[in-house]
Amino acid sequence: MEKLFKKEELLWENLLLKAIENKEIKNDIDVKMTVAHFRSMFFGLSFQHSLTCGLNTDLLRSLF
């Protein structure tokens, strides 16, 4: 399951980096944080983490 989550994270990261390269989005975004936001919105990252590796309250605090 963790491999699937990591694959999805890398997919988002690659898409954002490609969009930056193509000048479709600004180059000053925090790619890792933006990936975390996308994953949170679509899959409920806090719920997912609670089932797999426990909640990271520092990460949740920075996201919300």
Side-chain angles (χ1 to χ4, degrees), residues 2-58:
E2 188 63 33
K3 287 181 184 181
L4 178 64
F5 296 148
K6 187 64 177 171
K7 185 176 179 178
E8 180 213 348
E9 187 177 316
L10 290 173
L11 176 66
W12 275 116
E13 189 173 330
N14 288 333
L15 288 170
L16 288 170
L17 292 172
K18 188 70 171 171
I20 289 170
E21 182 182 314
N22 291 334
K23 300 186 189 307
E24 296 170 335
I25 61 175
K26 294 179 180 182
N27 65 356
D28 63 348
I29 67 165
D30 182 333
V31 172
K32 296 270 187 203
M33 188 60 73
T34 304
V35 167
H37 281 283
F38 284 169
R39 293 184 73 225
S40 295
M41 288 185 288
F42 288 116
F43 297 109
L45 189 59
S46 57
F47 176 71
Q48 175 186 315
H49 279 191
S50 71
L51 296 175
T52 58
C53 59
L55 291 175
N56 179 336
T57 55
D58 291 329

